[in-house]
Amino acid sequence: MENEVLDLLAEICEDDVVKEELQTELFESGLMDSLGFAEFLVELEDQCGVVISPSEVERADIDTPEKILALVEARR
């Protein structure tokens, strides 16, 4: 599942750096914005069956690929 999530994240961010550097600050670096995150959540549900509502998370909870992977793992 980790590879699928990282592939999806790389697709949304349009940069493979998110697959290699899991500490990358997604929002601060400009790789992702609120709309991109909403798109990521929709695709995550469609492709992986993991449901996360945007209202359930704070930006600080999902600002790196590592944190997103941990959140997805917790929801599985």
Side-chain angles (χ1 to χ4, degrees):
M1 166 94 54
E2 181 176 322
N3 288 335
E4 291 90 348
V5 172
L6 290 175
D7 287 344
L8 178 57
L9 195 55
E11 182 182 321
I12 299 291
C13 293
E14 299 179 349
D15 196 326
D16 282 343
V17 71
V18 299
K19 293 168 31 174
E20 299 153 10
E21 298 177 26
L22 299 182
Q23 302 293 322
T24 301
E25 294 283 338
L26 299 173
F27 295 97
E28 194 173 292
S29 67
L31 288 169
M32 185 178 284
D33 58 16
S34 299
L35 185 58
F37 186 66
E39 183 180 347
F40 172 75
L41 293 180
V42 169
E43 292 298 322
L44 182 67
E45 183 175 351
D46 288 348
Q47 294 181 23
C48 302
V50 177
V51 179
I52 301 171
S53 171
S55 63
E56 295 176 326
V57 293
E58 298 289 325
R59 186 179 235 179
D61 298 332
I62 44 92
D63 61 355
T64 67
E66 182 177 60
K67 289 180 182 178
I68 290 173
L69 288 172
L71 180 62
V72 169
E73 185 62 34
R75 297 292 174 102
R76 283 181 58 203

Coordinates of all heavy atoms in Angstrom, one line a residue:
M1 N 0.8 -1.2 0.0 CA 0.0 0.0 0.0 C 0.9 1.3 0.0 O 0.5 2.2 -0.6 CB -0.9 0.0 1.2 CG -1.6 1.3 1.5 SD -3.2 1.6 0.9 CE -4.2 0.3 1.4
E2 N 2.0 1.2 0.7 CA 2.9 2.4 0.7 C 3.3 2.9 -0.7 O 3.2 4.1 -0.9 CB 4.1 2.1 1.6 CG 5.1 3.2 1.7 CD 6.3 2.9 2.6 OE1 6.1 2.2 3.6 OE2 7.4 3.4 2.2
N3 N 3.6 2.0 -1.5 CA 4.0 2.3 -2.9 C 2.9 3.0 -3.6 O 3.1 4.0 -4.4 CB 4.6 1.2 -3.7 CG 5.9 0.7 -3.2 OD1 6.7 1.5 -2.6 ND2 6.2 -0.5 -3.4
E4 N 1.7 2.5 -3.5 CA 0.5 3.0 -4.2 C 0.3 4.5 -3.7 O 0.0 5.3 -4.5 CB -0.7 2.2 -3.9 CG -0.7 0.8 -4.6 CD -0.1 -0.3 -3.8 OE1 0.5 0.0 -2.7 OE2 -0.2 -1.4 -4.1
V5 N 0.4 4.7 -2.4 CA 0.1 6.0 -1.8 C 1.2 7.0 -2.3 O 0.9 8.1 -2.7 CB 0.1 5.9 -0.3 CG1 0.1 7.3 0.3 CG2 -1.1 5.1 0.2
L6 N 2.4 6.5 -2.3 CA 3.5 7.4 -2.8 C 3.4 7.7 -4.3 O 3.7 8.8 -4.7 CB 4.9 6.8 -2.4 CG 5.2 6.8 -0.9 CD1 6.6 6.1 -0.7 CD2 5.3 8.2 -0.4
D7 N 3.0 6.7 -5.0 CA 2.8 7.0 -6.5 C 1.7 8.0 -6.7 O 1.8 8.9 -7.6 CB 2.5 5.6 -7.2 CG 3.7 4.7 -7.4 OD1 4.8 5.2 -7.2 OD2 3.4 3.5 -7.6
L8 N 0.6 7.8 -6.0 CA -0.5 8.8 -6.1 C -0.1 10.2 -5.7 O -0.4 11.1 -6.3 CB -1.7 8.3 -5.2 CG -2.9 9.2 -5.2 CD1 -3.5 9.4 -6.6 CD2 -3.9 8.5 -4.3
L9 N 0.7 10.2 -4.6 CA 1.2 11.5 -4.1 C 2.1 12.2 -5.1 O 2.0 13.4 -5.4 CB 1.9 11.3 -2.8 CG 2.2 12.6 -1.9 CD1 0.9 13.3 -1.6 CD2 2.8 12.1 -0.6
A10 N 3.0 11.4 -5.7 CA 3.9 11.9 -6.8 C 3.1 12.4 -8.0 O 3.4 13.5 -8.6 CB 4.9 10.9 -7.2
E11 N 2.0 11.7 -8.3 CA 1.2 12.1 -9.4 C 0.5 13.5 -9.1 O 0.5 14.4 -10.0 CB 0.1 11.1 -9.7 CG -0.8 11.4 -10.9 CD -1.8 10.3 -11.1 OE1 -1.5 9.1 -10.9 OE2 -3.0 10.6 -11.4
I12 N -0.1 13.6 -7.9 CA -0.7 14.9 -7.5 C 0.2 16.0 -7.5 O 0.0 17.1 -7.9 CB -1.5 14.7 -6.2 CG1 -2.5 13.6 -6.3 CG2 -2.1 16.0 -5.7 CD1 -3.7 13.9 -7.2
C13 N 1.4 15.8 -6.9 CA 2.4 16.8 -6.7 C 3.2 17.1 -8.0 O 4.0 18.1 -8.0 CB 3.4 16.4 -5.6 SG 2.6 16.4 -4.0
E14 N 3.1 16.2 -8.9 CA 3.9 16.2 -10.2 C 5.4 16.3 -9.9 O 6.1 17.0 -10.6 CB 3.4 17.5 -11.0 CG 2.0 17.4 -11.4 CD 1.5 18.6 -12.2 OE1 2.2 19.6 -12.3 OE2 0.4 18.5 -12.7
D15 N 5.8 15.5 -9.0 CA 7.2 15.4 -8.6 C 7.5 14.1 -7.9 O 6.9 13.9 -6.8 CB 7.6 16.6 -7.8 CG 9.1 16.9 -7.7 OD1 9.9 15.9 -7.7 OD2 9.5 18.0 -7.7
D16 N 8.5 13.4 -8.4 CA 8.9 12.1 -7.7 C 9.7 12.3 -6.4 O 9.9 11.3 -5.7 CB 9.7 11.2 -8.7 CG 8.8 10.5 -9.7 OD1 7.5 10.5 -9.4 OD2 9.3 10.0 -10.7
V17 N 10.1 13.5 -6.1 CA 10.8 13.8 -4.9 C 10.1 13.3 -3.6 O 10.7 12.9 -2.7 CB 11.2 15.3 -4.8 CG1 10.0 16.1 -4.4 CG2 12.3 15.4 -3.7
V18 N 8.7 13.3 -3.7 CA 7.9 12.9 -2.6 C 8.1 11.4 -2.3 O 7.8 11.0 -1.2 CB 6.4 13.3 -2.7 CG1 6.3 14.8 -2.9 CG2 5.8 12.6 -3.9
K19 N 8.5 10.6 -3.3 CA 8.7 9.2 -3.1 C 10.1 8.9 -2.5 O 10.3 7.9 -1.9 CB 8.6 8.5 -4.4 CG 7.2 8.5 -4.9 CD 6.9 8.1 -6.3 CE 7.7 7.0 -7.0 NZ 7.2 6.7 -8.3
E20 N 11.0 9.8 -2.7 CA 12.4 9.6 -2.3 C 12.8 10.3 -0.9 O 13.5 9.8 -0.2 CB 13.4 10.1 -3.4 CG 13.2 9.4 -4.7 CD 13.6 10.2 -5.9 OE1 14.1 11.3 -5.7 OE2 13.2 9.8 -7.0
E21 N 12.2 11.5 -0.7 CA 12.4 12.3 0.5 C 11.1 12.4 1.3 O 10.4 13.3 1.1 CB 13.0 13.6 0.1 CG 14.3 13.5 -0.6 CD 14.9 14.9 -1.1 OE1 14.5 15.9 -0.4 OE2 15.6 14.9 -2.1
L22 N 10.9 11.5 2.2 CA 9.7 11.4 2.9 C 9.5 12.5 3.9 O 8.4 12.7 4.5 CB 9.5 10.1 3.6 CG 9.5 8.8 2.7 CD1 9.4 7.6 3.5 CD2 8.5 9.0 1.6
Q23 N 10.5 13.3 4.2 CA 10.4 14.5 5.1 C 10.1 15.8 4.3 O 10.0 16.8 5.0 CB 11.7 14.6 5.8 CG 12.2 13.4 6.6 CD 11.2 13.2 7.8 OE1 10.8 14.1 8.4 NE2 11.0 11.9 8.0
T24 N 9.9 15.7 3.0 CA 9.6 16.9 2.2 C 8.4 17.6 2.7 O 7.3 17.0 2.9 CB 9.4 16.5 0.7 OG1 10.6 15.9 0.3 CG2 9.2 17.7 -0.1
E25 N 8.5 18.9 3.0 CA 7.4 19.7 3.4 C 6.5 20.0 2.1 O 6.9 20.8 1.3 CB 7.9 21.1 4.0 CG 8.6 20.9 5.3 CD 7.7 20.6 6.4 OE1 6.5 21.0 6.4 OE2 8.1 20.1 7.4
L26 N 5.4 19.4 2.0 CA 4.6 19.5 0.8 C 4.0 20.8 0.6 O 4.0 21.3 -0.5 CB 3.4 18.4 0.9 CG 3.9 17.0 1.0 CD1 2.7 16.0 1.2 CD2 4.7 16.6 -0.3
F27 N 3.4 21.4 1.6 CA 2.7 22.7 1.4 C 3.7 23.9 1.4 O 3.6 24.8 0.6 CB 1.7 22.9 2.5 CG 0.5 21.9 2.5 CD1 0.6 20.8 3.3 CD2 -0.5 22.1 1.6 CE1 -0.5 19.9 3.2 CE2 -1.5 21.2 1.5 CZ -1.5 20.1 2.3
E28 N 4.7 23.8 2.3 CA 5.7 24.9 2.4 C 6.5 25.0 1.1 O 6.9 26.1 0.6 CB 6.6 24.6 3.6 CG 7.5 25.8 3.9 CD 8.2 25.5 5.2 OE1 7.5 25.5 6.3 OE2 9.4 25.4 5.2
S29 N 6.8 23.8 0.5 CA 7.6 23.8 -0.8 C 6.8 24.1 -2.0 O 7.3 24.3 -3.1 CB 8.2 22.4 -0.9 OG 7.2 21.4 -1.1
G30 N 5.4 24.2 -1.9 CA 4.6 24.5 -3.0 C 4.2 23.2 -3.8 O 3.6 23.4 -4.9
L31 N 4.6 22.0 -3.4 CA 4.3 20.8 -4.1 C 2.8 20.5 -4.0 O 2.3 19.8 -4.9 CB 5.1 19.6 -3.6 CG 6.6 19.6 -3.9 CD1 7.3 18.6 -3.1 CD2 6.8 19.4 -5.4
M32 N 2.2 20.9 -3.0 CA 0.7 20.6 -2.8 C 0.0 21.8 -2.2 O 0.6 22.6 -1.4 CB 0.5 19.4 -1.9 CG -0.9 19.0 -1.8 SD -1.2 17.5 -0.7 CE -0.6 16.2 -1.9
D33 N -1.2 22.0 -2.6 CA -2.1 23.0 -2.0 C -3.4 22.4 -1.6 O -3.5 21.1 -1.7 CB -2.3 24.2 -3.0 CG -3.0 23.7 -4.3 OD1 -3.5 22.5 -4.4 OD2 -3.0 24.4 -5.3
S34 N -4.3 23.1 -1.1 CA -5.5 22.6 -0.5 C -6.3 21.8 -1.6 O -6.9 20.7 -1.3 CB -6.4 23.7 0.0 OG -5.7 24.4 1.1
L35 N -6.4 22.3 -2.8 CA -7.1 21.6 -3.8 C -6.4 20.3 -4.2 O -7.1 19.3 -4.4 CB -7.2 22.5 -5.1 CG -8.0 22.0 -6.2 CD1 -9.4 21.7 -5.8 CD2 -8.0 23.0 -7.4
G36 N -5.1 20.3 -4.3 CA -4.3 19.1 -4.5 C -4.6 18.1 -3.5 O -4.7 16.9 -3.7
F37 N -4.6 18.5 -2.2 CA -4.9 17.6 -1.1 C -6.3 17.0 -1.2 O -6.4 15.8 -1.0 CB -4.6 18.2 0.2 CG -4.7 17.2 1.4 CD1 -3.8 16.2 1.5 CD2 -5.8 17.2 2.3 CE1 -3.9 15.2 2.5 CE2 -5.9 16.3 3.3 CZ -5.0 15.3 3.4
A38 N -7.2 17.8 -1.6 CA -8.6 17.3 -1.7 C -8.6 16.2 -2.9 O -9.3 15.2 -2.7 CB -9.6 18.4 -2.0
E39 N -7.9 16.5 -4.0 CA -7.8 15.6 -5.1 C -7.2 14.3 -4.6 O -7.6 13.2 -5.0 CB -7.1 16.2 -6.2 CG -7.0 15.4 -7.4 CD -6.2 16.0 -8.6 OE1 -5.9 17.2 -8.5 OE2 -5.8 15.3 -9.5
F40 N -6.1 14.4 -3.8 CA -5.4 13.3 -3.3 C -6.3 12.4 -2.5 O -6.3 11.2 -2.6 CB -4.2 13.7 -2.4 CG -3.5 12.6 -1.7 CD1 -2.7 11.7 -2.4 CD2 -3.7 12.4 -0.3 CE1 -2.1 10.7 -1.7 CE2 -3.1 11.4 0.4 CZ -2.3 10.5 -0.3
L41 N -7.1 13.0 -1.6 CA -8.1 12.2 -0.8 C -9.1 11.5 -1.6 O -9.4 10.3 -1.3 CB -8.8 13.1 0.2 CG -7.9 13.7 1.3 CD1 -8.7 14.6 2.2 CD2 -7.1 12.7 2.1
V42 N -9.6 12.1 -2.7 CA -10.6 11.4 -3.5 C -9.9 10.2 -4.2 O -10.5 9.1 -4.2 CB -11.1 12.4 -4.6 CG1 -11.9 11.7 -5.7 CG2 -12.0 13.5 -3.9
E43 N -8.7 10.4 -4.8 CA -8.0 9.3 -5.4 C -7.6 8.2 -4.4 O -7.7 7.0 -4.8 CB -6.8 9.9 -6.2 CG -7.1 10.7 -7.4 CD -7.9 10.0 -8.4 OE1 -7.6 8.8 -8.7 OE2 -8.8 10.6 -9.0
L44 N -7.3 8.6 -3.2 CA -6.9 7.6 -2.2 C -8.1 6.7 -1.9 O -7.9 5.5 -1.8 CB -6.4 8.4 -0.9 CG -6.0 7.5 0.2 CD1 -4.7 6.8 -0.2 CD2 -5.7 8.4 1.4
E45 N -9.2 7.3 -1.8 CA -10.4 6.5 -1.6 C -10.7 5.6 -2.7 O -11.0 4.4 -2.6 CB -11.6 7.4 -1.3 CG -12.9 6.6 -0.9 CD -14.0 7.5 -0.5 OE1 -13.8 8.8 -0.3 OE2 -15.2 7.0 -0.4
D46 N -10.7 6.2 -4.0 CA -11.0 5.4 -5.2 C -10.0 4.2 -5.4 O -10.4 3.1 -5.7 CB -11.0 6.3 -6.4 CG -12.2 7.2 -6.5 OD1 -13.1 7.0 -5.7 OD2 -12.1 8.1 -7.3
Q47 N -8.7 4.5 -5.2 CA -7.7 3.5 -5.6 C -7.3 2.6 -4.4 O -7.0 1.4 -4.6 CB -6.4 4.2 -6.0 CG -6.6 4.9 -7.4 CD -5.4 5.6 -7.8 OE1 -4.2 5.2 -7.5 NE2 -5.5 6.6 -8.7
C48 N -7.4 3.1 -3.2 CA -7.0 2.3 -2.0 C -8.1 1.9 -1.0 O -7.8 1.1 -0.1 CB -5.8 3.0 -1.3 SG -4.4 3.3 -2.4
G49 N -9.2 2.5 -1.2 CA -10.3 2.3 -0.3 C -10.2 2.9 1.1 O -10.9 2.5 2.0
V50 N -9.3 3.8 1.2 CA -9.0 4.5 2.5 C -9.8 5.8 2.5 O -9.5 6.7 1.6 CB -7.5 4.7 2.8 CG1 -7.3 5.5 4.1 CG2 -6.8 3.4 2.8
V51 N -10.6 6.0 3.5 CA -11.5 7.2 3.5 C -10.9 8.1 4.6 O -10.9 7.8 5.8 CB -12.9 6.9 3.8 CG1 -13.8 8.1 3.9 CG2 -13.5 5.9 2.8
I52 N -10.5 9.3 4.2 CA -10.1 10.4 5.1 C -10.8 11.7 4.7 O -10.7 12.1 3.6 CB -8.6 10.6 5.1 CG1 -7.8 9.3 5.4 CG2 -8.2 11.7 6.0 CD1 -6.3 9.4 5.2
S53 N -11.6 12.2 5.6 CA -12.3 13.5 5.4 C -11.3 14.6 5.6 O -10.6 14.6 6.6 CB -13.5 13.6 6.3 OG -14.1 14.8 6.2
P54 N -11.3 15.6 4.8 CA -10.5 16.8 5.0 C -10.7 17.5 6.3 O -9.8 18.0 6.9 CB -10.8 17.8 3.8 CG -11.5 16.9 2.8 CD -12.1 15.8 3.5
S55 N -11.9 17.4 6.8 CA -12.2 18.0 8.1 C -11.7 17.3 9.3 O -11.6 17.8 10.4 CB -13.7 18.2 8.3 OG -14.4 16.9 8.3
E56 N -11.2 16.0 9.1 CA -10.7 15.2 10.2 C -9.2 15.5 10.4 O -8.7 15.0 11.4 CB -10.8 13.7 9.8 CG -12.2 13.3 9.7 CD -12.3 11.8 9.3 OE1 -11.5 11.3 8.5 OE2 -13.3 11.2 9.8
V57 N -8.5 16.2 9.5 CA -7.1 16.4 9.7 C -6.7 17.8 9.6 O -7.3 18.6 9.0 CB -6.3 15.6 8.6 CG1 -6.4 14.1 8.8 CG2 -6.7 16.0 7.2
E58 N -5.6 18.2 10.4 CA -5.1 19.5 10.3 C -3.9 19.5 9.3 O -3.3 18.4 9.1 CB -4.5 19.9 11.7 CG -5.5 19.9 12.8 CD -6.4 21.1 12.6 OE1 -6.0 22.2 12.2 OE2 -7.6 21.0 13.0
R59 N -3.6 20.6 8.8 CA -2.5 20.7 7.8 C -1.2 20.1 8.4 O -0.5 19.4 7.7 CB -2.3 22.1 7.3 CG -1.3 22.3 6.2 CD -1.2 23.7 5.8 NE -1.4 23.8 4.4 CZ -1.4 24.9 3.7 NH1 -1.2 26.0 4.3 NH2 -1.6 24.9 2.4
A60 N -0.9 20.4 9.6 CA 0.3 19.9 10.3 C 0.3 18.3 10.3 O 1.4 17.8 10.4 CB 0.5 20.5 11.7
D61 N -0.8 17.7 10.3 CA -0.9 16.2 10.3 C -0.5 15.6 9.0 O -0.3 14.4 8.9 CB -2.3 15.8 10.7 CG -2.7 16.3 12.1 OD1 -1.9 16.5 12.9 OD2 -4.0 16.4 12.3
I62 N -0.5 16.4 7.9 CA -0.4 15.8 6.6 C 0.6 16.6 5.7 O 0.5 16.6 4.5 CB -1.7 15.7 5.9 CG1 -2.6 16.9 6.0 CG2 -2.5 14.5 6.4 CD1 -2.4 17.9 4.9
D63 N 1.6 17.2 6.4 CA 2.5 18.1 5.6 C 3.7 17.5 5.1 O 4.5 18.1 4.4 CB 2.8 19.4 6.4 CG 3.6 19.1 7.7 OD1 3.7 17.9 8.0 OD2 4.0 20.0 8.4
T64 N 3.9 16.2 5.3 CA 5.0 15.4 4.7 C 4.5 14.1 4.2 O 3.5 13.5 4.7 CB 6.2 15.2 5.7 OG1 5.7 14.3 6.7 CG2 6.7 16.5 6.3
P65 N 5.2 13.5 3.2 CA 4.8 12.1 2.8 C 4.8 11.1 3.9 O 3.9 10.3 4.0 CB 5.8 11.8 1.7 CG 6.2 13.1 1.2 CD 6.2 14.0 2.3
E66 N 5.8 11.2 4.8 CA 5.9 10.3 6.0 C 4.6 10.4 6.9 O 4.1 9.4 7.3 CB 7.1 10.7 6.8 CG 7.4 9.8 8.0 CD 8.7 10.2 8.7 OE1 8.8 11.4 9.1 OE2 9.5 9.3 8.7
K67 N 4.1 11.6 7.1 CA 2.9 11.8 7.9 C 1.7 11.2 7.2 O 0.8 10.7 7.9 CB 2.8 13.2 8.3 CG 3.8 13.7 9.3 CD 3.5 15.2 9.7 CE 4.6 15.7 10.6 NZ 4.3 17.2 10.9
I68 N 1.6 11.4 5.9 CA 0.5 10.9 5.2 C 0.5 9.4 5.2 O -0.5 8.8 5.4 CB 0.5 11.5 3.7 CG1 0.2 13.0 3.7 CG2 -0.5 10.7 2.8 CD1 0.3 13.6 2.4
L69 N 1.7 8.8 5.0 CA 1.8 7.3 5.1 C 1.3 6.8 6.5 O 0.6 5.8 6.5 CB 3.2 6.9 4.8 CG 3.6 7.0 3.3 CD1 5.1 6.7 3.2 CD2 2.8 6.1 2.4
A70 N 1.7 7.5 7.5 CA 1.3 7.1 8.9 C -0.2 7.2 9.0 O -0.8 6.3 9.6 CB 2.1 7.9 9.9
L71 N -0.8 8.3 8.5 CA -2.2 8.5 8.6 C -3.0 7.4 7.9 O -3.9 6.8 8.4 CB -2.6 9.8 8.1 CG -4.1 10.2 8.2 CD1 -4.6 10.2 9.6 CD2 -4.3 11.6 7.5
V72 N -2.5 7.1 6.7 CA -3.2 6.1 5.8 C -3.0 4.7 6.5 O -4.0 3.9 6.6 CB -2.5 6.0 4.4 CG1 -3.0 4.8 3.7 CG2 -2.9 7.3 3.7
E73 N -1.9 4.4 7.1 CA -1.7 3.1 7.8 C -2.6 3.0 9.0 O -3.2 2.0 9.2 CB -0.2 3.0 8.2 CG 0.1 1.7 8.9 CD -0.1 0.5 7.9 OE1 0.1 0.6 6.7 OE2 -0.5 -0.6 8.5
A74 N -2.8 4.1 9.7 CA -3.7 4.1 10.9 C -5.2 3.9 10.5 O -5.9 3.4 11.2 CB -3.5 5.4 11.6
R75 N -5.5 4.3 9.3 CA -6.9 4.2 8.8 C -7.2 2.9 8.1 O -8.4 2.6 7.8 CB -7.2 5.4 7.8 CG -7.1 6.7 8.5 CD -8.2 6.9 9.5 NE -8.1 8.2 10.2 CZ -8.8 9.2 9.9 NH1 -9.7 9.2 9.0 NH2 -8.6 10.3 10.6
R76 N -6.2 2.1 7.8 CA -6.5 0.9 7.1 C -7.2 -0.1 7.9 O -7.2 -0.3 9.0 CB -5.2 0.2 6.6 CG -4.6 0.9 5.4 CD -3.3 0.3 4.9 NE -3.5 -1.1 4.6 CZ -2.5 -1.9 4.5 NH1 -1.3 -1.5 4.8 NH2 -2.7 -3.2 4.2

